[in-house]
Amino acid sequence: MLSQTMIDRLNQQINLEIYSSHLYLQMGSWCAYKSLDGCSTFLSQHADEEMMHMRRLLNYLHETGGLAMLGGMQAPPTDFNSLTEMFETIYEHEQLVTKKINDLVHLANTEPDYSTLQFLQWYVAEQHQEEFLFKSILDKIKLIGTEGQGIFFIDREIGMMATNQNLDKKQQ
Ligand code: OFO
């Protein structure tokens, strides 16, 4: 049995994960519009992953007798000055998600709610991976540069990351 505070905070996280999915879907669409097909595929896949993050939380609420509540969703930004700016926005967003997960862990620890504390460990590890992933993409963009053919190579590189993620998932 979860406290009402915990149910409310898990619901906030559910809605944040849906927003993350919308954000990456929208960004993927912007990339397709700019003929950056590799980035578009990568972001569209990532949007699916965010829905999986949401579903884990949703199922946890179901298992613990809580009611999941979906709220009105803020529209994600639709335009970006550059690919670099777009990935910087993603990195900042993932840092915000990490902060929200940390806040949830803190709440579970202080209530104390050891079941939720244990459940949240997956998200702690996942956020470490997400921040590492997007930081490494930003590092690649800085290294290769977006001038001239640079943007073509970046798009190809990020497109390959999408393919590899797919292969990893199939092997799991
Ligand atoms: Fe990108 O980790 Fe969920 O939100």
Side-chain angles (χ1 to χ4, degrees), residues 22 32 36 47 65 74-75 84 91 94 99 104 118 126 129 136:
H22 287 187
L36 297 166
Q74 183 196 340
T84 311
Y91 186 49
E94 287 300 335
K99 185 184 176 312
L104 268 169
Q118 170 76 12
E126 181 68 10
Q129 289 303 324
S136 68

Side-chain angles (χ1 to χ4, degrees), residues 13 16-17 20 24 46 49-50 53 93-94 97 123 126-127 130 134:
Q13 192 63 33
L16 181 61
E17 300 294 343
S20 301
Y24 300 151
H46 214 81
E49 270 194 41
E50 298 298 349
H53 297 172
H93 180 72
E94 287 300 335
V97 175
Y123 288 88
E126 181 68 10
Q127 279 314 118
E130 298 262 287
F134 289 111

Side-chain angles (χ1 to χ4, degrees), residues 27-93:
M27 286 171 162
S29 189
W30 181 83
C31 289
Y33 181 65
K34 299 282 177 187
S35 302
L36 297 166
D37 294 340
C39 290
S40 178
T41 305
F42 172 82
L43 286 165
S44 162
Q45 268 182 23
H46 214 81
D48 291 348
E49 270 194 41
E50 298 298 349
M51 288 309 267
M52 186 272 282
H53 297 172
M54 181 278 289
R55 283 195 174 279
R56 268 182 180 256
L57 287 154
L58 194 84
N59 288 338
Y60 184 71
L61 274 187
H62 293 172
E63 285 165 9
T64 49
L67 174 66
M69 290 202 283
L70 307 187
M73 205 56 58
Q74 183 196 340
T78 53
D79 200 16
F80 307 92
N81 290 320
S82 65
L83 193 68
T84 311
E85 183 194 280
M86 193 200 72
F87 275 106
E88 277 168 355
T89 303
I90 297 180
Y91 186 49
E92 278 167 25
H93 180 72

Side-chain angles (χ1 to χ4, degrees), residues 10 19 53 70 80 90 107 110 112 124 142 165 168-169:
L10 288 171
Y19 176 76
H53 297 172
L70 307 187
F80 307 92
I90 297 180
L107 177 67
T110 47
V124 172
K142 276 193 196 119
Q165 272 189 18
D168 288 351
K169 293 248 155 64

